[in-house]
Amino acid sequence: MKKRYSLTILVLIILALFVSVNILEGKEDILFIGAKWGVEGVDHIATPGSIDAITVYIAPTLANGLKDVIAELYLPKPLAGLDGGKVVKTSSLVFIPKGQVLPLTFKVIIPLNVIEGNYTFRLKVKYTILAPLPEERKWEIEFSLPILGRTVVYAKLLTNTLEKGKIQDVNFNITYIGNEPAEISVDFRSETLSILDYEPKKPILADKPHSFEAKAKVYCPPDIKIDALPITITITYKTLQTASTYSKTYMIPVSRKAEVGFTEIQPIVSDNTVTIRGQLVNVGDYDAKYLTVYATSPDKGLTIENPITYIGTLTAGEGSSFLIYASTTKPGKYSISLSAKYYGPDMKWHEISEEINVEVTGVAKKEEISVPLRYEEVLPAIIALSVATLIVGIIIGRYTRWKSV
């Protein structure tokens, strides 16, 4: 009896675990990506006395996606929908596959009496899952968005990187949002960059929402060791009622690059052989990876013996030598194209090239091969020479004896 009772309890615990997993999966059917003021693709700042849009981004996490999405956005006081209500609705009845982002847009009225600050919104979503069987589910989440004062000025940095040892512009876009005229002044400072000039020097007058470009001409020292340099922009804006200041420091990355160049290229011609001695040097401040030298020739009479030479990685300031061998069968003028490809810190391939012209004035002649004579071929001549020598000796001997008599 006790064994049956224990088995029953075990089965109930297992069933309870399955129910918990299903509930948990149901809560994770949708991924909340984020929310912002403005419609899809357009950012916006919400201010009192305006009609704005809120876009919420969600995405299905279910393998089979979902469909028939009906969303309700519950607004905090004193915000309201276009009909004056506190709930704004939108829907999407199409099928949304897993991972696809679904933007949900709601129109909202922001009254003039709204106080500046962060406001909390509640989003409730009804949807249908398709597997294992069609089923309607619910999901909800809370998020916050700011509502700023009637007059707002802010800056957006447009320059991505700085280059060492160069004079360059650091560009900003200045945006003014407000319901009253404003006088806007811009100033720059930096503890590391030398600010040589800036624009605009005179105040900008804005009687309605307005944007304009401001820039500082700076010099970036070549001996900088850090990866980013600071620049502070200060914007002072005055209205008929108030004067305010916006100030923000931006850290601009210092670009690091690999810059490889050919140096000391020397062609050497010897008979029908051409040897090119060369060197590559990385004058940049970052590694040049997978460095490879390629040699080609458009001339048919010239053959490149080693058209590809792999060097590897050149660190900043490092050099490496290479040799290219070529041969030809006839005199003439020939051209050789050298190129070097490497992978830089910008995650892109870079290529440099060099053209070499050489002249081959003569091709080495083949040496004549001497064939040794065989013994049987020279034996008659040796015998004849010996007989002749013997006869001459006998004659000379007789002549000497006759003279002595």
Side-chain angles (χ1 to χ4, degrees):
M1 186 69 179
K2 289 184 179 180
K3 292 183 179 180
R4 292 181 181 178
Y5 182 75
S6 300
L7 182 60
T8 304
I9 293 177
L10 181 60
V11 171
L12 291 175
I13 292 174
I14 294 174
L15 290 175
L17 288 175
F18 277 115
V19 172
S20 298
V21 171
N22 288 334
I23 292 173
L24 184 60
E25 289 179 350
K27 291 181 180 179
E28 294 183 348
D29 293 348
I30 295 176
L31 174 65
F32 174 72
I33 298 175
K36 69 168 188 175
W37 288 106
V39 296
E40 171 71 4
V42 179
D43 293 329
H44 189 59
I45 293 179
T47 58
S50 62
I51 298 177
D52 291 284
I54 293 178
T55 302
V56 182
Y57 297 91
I58 62 174
T61 59
L62 295 171
N64 295 303
L66 52 86
K67 68 171 186 175
D68 298 340
V69 174
I70 300 175
E72 298 178 337
L73 184 64
Y74 290 75
L75 306 176
K77 295 181 180 180
L79 277 61
L82 297 182
D83 59 356
K86 295 300 178 183
V87 180
V88 188
K89 297 182 180 182
T90 189
S91 62
S92 175
L93 303 181
V94 299
F95 170 72
I96 310 297
K98 178 183 178 180
Q100 178 176 311
V101 177
L102 174 64
L104 302 171
T105 302
F106 307 87
K107 287 294 185 69
V108 179
I109 296 175
I110 305 177
L112 280 171
N113 62 343
V114 169
I115 300 173
E116 182 177 352
N118 286 326
Y119 286 79
T120 300
F121 301 82
R122 179 182 292 271
L123 177 68
K124 294 184 178 181
V125 178
K126 294 180 181 179
Y127 56 96
T128 300
I129 65 170
L130 303 178
L133 293 173
E135 177 187 348
E136 186 178 280
R137 293 186 180 181
K138 297 180 181 180
W139 177 85
E140 65 179 79
I141 195 171
E142 288 186 350
F143 60 89
S144 297
L145 288 175
I147 297 177
L148 303 179
R150 297 181 63 183
T151 301
V152 178
V153 176
Y154 66 97
K156 181 180 180 181
L157 178 64
L158 302 179
T159 300
N160 295 323
T161 58
L162 295 168
E163 294 190 35
K164 294 181 180 181
K166 289 189 177 181
I167 296 175
Q168 56 215 287
D169 290 337
V170 178
N171 299 312
F172 291 85
N173 187 72
I174 312 299
T175 300
Y176 162 74
I177 297 175
N179 298 321
E180 53 187 335
E183 181 185 86
I184 306 169
S185 301
V186 182
D187 193 17
F188 298 93
R189 64 179 176 85
S190 176
E191 298 176 356
T192 312
L193 297 168
S194 299
I195 299 177
L196 308 177
D197 197 5
Y198 68 94
E199 293 180 1
K201 291 186 176 66
K202 295 181 178 180
I204 299 293
L205 298 177
D207 59 352
K208 59 182 179 180
H210 181 64
S211 66
F212 60 93
E213 186 175 303
K215 61 182 178 180
K217 187 177 293 294
V218 303
Y219 172 74
C220 180
D223 56 349
I224 290 297
K225 302 299 183 183
I226 56 179
D227 294 332
L229 299 180
I231 186 170
T232 301
I233 182 171
T234 301
I235 306 172
T236 302
Y237 52 101
K238 300 177 181 178
T239 65
L240 296 174
Q241 300 177 354
T242 61
S244 302
T245 299
Y246 170 96
S247 183
K248 185 175 180 180
T249 300
Y250 294 85
M251 298 299 296
I252 307 177
V254 178
S255 65
R256 304 185 67 185
K257 61 180 180 180
E259 188 175 350
V260 177
F262 285 107
T263 61
E264 301 178 6
I265 296 181
Q266 180 184 7
I268 301 172
V269 180
S270 177
D271 294 333
N272 65 325
T273 301
V274 178
T275 303
I276 297 178
R277 300 178 181 272
Q279 188 178 38
L280 289 166
V281 177
N282 182 5
V283 297
D285 57 1
Y286 202 83
D287 293 351
K289 298 181 179 181
Y290 313 113
L291 180 59
T292 306
V293 179
Y294 299 86
T296 59
S297 176
D299 303 319
K300 294 182 179 179
L302 190 69
T303 302
I304 307 294
E305 306 295 341
N306 55 330
I308 300 176
T309 303
Y310 181 74
I311 294 177
T313 299
L314 278 187
T315 60
E318 185 182 10
S320 179
S321 300
F322 63 89
L323 292 172
I324 302 295
Y325 300 99
S327 61
T328 182
T329 56
K330 59 182 179 179
K333 294 182 178 180
Y334 300 94
S335 63
I336 299 176
S337 298
L338 299 180
S339 64
K341 295 182 181 180
Y342 58 95
Y343 193 73
D346 55 355
M347 298 183 181
K348 294 181 181 179
W349 287 97
H350 300 267
E351 182 177 2
I352 58 171
S353 59
E354 191 83 14
E355 192 78 17
I356 308 297
N357 295 312
V358 296
E359 183 176 1
V360 178
T361 57
V363 178
K365 296 181 179 180
K366 295 182 179 179
E367 296 182 359
E368 295 182 359
I369 301 175
S370 58
V371 180
L373 295 175
R374 291 179 297 181
Y375 179 75
E376 58 269 21
E377 292 177 350
V378 300
L379 182 60
I382 294 174
I383 294 173
L385 181 60
S386 300
V387 172
T389 303
L390 179 62
I391 294 172
V392 171
I394 294 172
I395 294 173
I396 292 174
R398 288 182 178 181
Y399 176 75
T400 302
R401 285 198 300 273
W402 177 75
K403 285 291 278 184
S404 62
V405 178

